[in-house]
Amino acid sequence: MNIGLFGGTFDPIHRGHLALARAACERCKLSRVLFVPANVPPHKQAQPLSAFAHRYAMIALATAGVRDFAPSLLEAPEEFELKSDRGKTTRPEKPNYTIDTVLRLKQSLKKADRLFLLIGIDAFTDIAKWHQAEALFRECEFVVASRPGFSLADVANALPASLRPRQEVTRPFQKQAATGDLLLGGVTIHLLNEVYQPVSSTAIRQAVAAGKPLTRFVEPSVADYIKKTGLYKGR
Ligand code: ATP
């Protein structure tokens, strides 16, 4: 079986996330995509974050009608509770590293199963800074949602130093769009072209704070949840 793991803060989950997952399913014949909200995202520790329970609930709502999509508790806090009516929570100490999540998930997979890590190109360009980045490339294949303006050379140059091809090798690909499959000595990256939609969780939080409608950005059930819980108001 081909399994997709899609990690993020999902604060909230939006149509860009769902489009990426759908395109990855089609391209890599995924039987299941696990949406894994991080309890403590390593790269976003400075900004306020909604409670894990809210972010998980919105994923459950957004994926409810899709057979192959499922919310995952792989990075859930040991015990989580809502600490205020706005849903903000205090930060526990330990960040969720993707390599730990991948290794934990693999314990429940069969040898023949293939694991694919879904990620947008913005996050991918920072991948070399991730905890045990090289190990991550050994443990799973990557599915990267690219967008216009990023080249194949940008993707290769983002790799951790030990896996990165030399400049002379990547230079000819500076003008080649980031699309197709990139196979580089043990690293497999499937590039999804033009999946990226002009939407972000940040823009959604700002829209709520400004009292603007959300239906263009999120599933109706998620918009309804945000309204009923008062999430993002006054941020
Ligand atoms: P924020 O605005 O709060 O930073 P975000 O919209 O980038 O959030 P995250 O939960 O941080 O959402 O992202 C999870 C993953 O989804 C990342 O790999 C990110 O690159 C990818 N992603 C985010 N927005 C889009 C989009 N519009 N299209 C495709 N992928 C996206």
Side-chain angles (χ1 to χ4, degrees), residues 6 9-10 14 17 20 44 120 196-197 199-202 205:
F6 191 12
T9 42
F10 300 114
H14 54 64
H17 297 132
L20 193 166
K44 292 189 179 174
Y196 237 96
Q197 301 198 356
V199 51
S200 71
S201 300
T202 304
R205 295 191 298 272

Side-chain angles (χ1 to χ4, degrees), residues 46-64:
Q47 72 189 56
L49 192 67
S50 302
F52 180 88
H54 280 315
R55 294 181 286 119
Y56 181 84
M58 290 188 280
I59 292 174
L61 288 168
T63 58

Side-chain angles (χ1 to χ4, degrees), residues 41-226:
H43 308 295
K44 292 189 179 174
Q45 291 191 62
Q47 72 189 56
L49 192 67
S50 302
F52 180 88
H54 280 315
R55 294 181 286 119
Y56 181 84
M58 290 188 280
I59 292 174
L61 288 168
T63 58
V66 191
R67 197 194 52 194
D68 302 332
F69 290 0
S72 164
L73 290 170
L74 272 167
E75 296 187 358
E78 268 172 37
E79 40 174 291
F80 55 92
E81 54 186 319
L82 305 185
K83 299 230 165 95
S84 82
D85 59 354
R86 289 272 179 265
K88 285 176 197 161
T89 184
T90 50
R91 292 303 174 85
E93 295 294 299
K94 200 174 167 298
N96 300 111
Y97 292 120
T98 303
I99 184 67
D100 298 334
T101 308
V102 161
L103 294 175
R104 195 167 334 122
L105 175 60
K106 281 189 123 180
Q107 286 172 3
S108 64
L109 299 184
K110 301 202 179 74
K111 257 218 144 96
D113 290 338
R114 285 166 72 188
L115 185 59
F116 296 76
L117 200 72
L118 278 45
I119 184 169
I121 191 122
D122 294 39
F124 186 81
T125 52
D126 271 340
I127 198 87
K129 295 187 207 134
W130 286 25
H131 186 57
Q132 296 190 22
E134 287 93 345
L136 214 45
F137 283 94
R138 275 199 304 275
E139 295 295 338
C140 44
E141 299 176 36
F142 275 68
V143 186
V144 180
S146 126
R147 63 176 179 187
F150 284 89
S151 70
L152 267 186
D154 293 331
V155 174
N157 290 334
L159 289 170
S162 64
L163 302 173
R164 196 179 304 150
R166 292 190 316 277
Q167 290 280 320
E168 309 89 85
V169 179
T170 58
R171 202 166 293 127
F173 299 100
Q174 263 164 5
K175 289 216 167 85
Q176 198 163 323
T179 184
D181 290 338
L182 199 60
L183 307 171
L184 286 163
V187 172
T188 305
I189 304 173
H190 307 276
L191 291 153
L192 305 172
N193 209 10
E194 315 209 341
V195 170
Y196 237 96
Q197 301 198 356
V199 51
S200 71
S201 300
T202 304
I204 293 166
R205 295 191 298 272
Q206 287 166 351
V208 177
K212 292 191 184 146
L214 288 187
T215 35
R216 266 189 319 131
F217 306 127
V218 297
E219 296 301 292
S221 52
V222 174
D224 188 47
Y225 184 90
I226 291 171

Side-chain angles (χ1 to χ4, degrees), residues 19-30 33 118 143 192 195:
L20 193 166
R22 266 193 300 270
C25 267
E26 209 163 289
R27 174 73 162 283
C28 299
K29 308 281 172 270
L30 306 181
V33 175
L118 278 45
V143 186
L192 305 172
V195 170

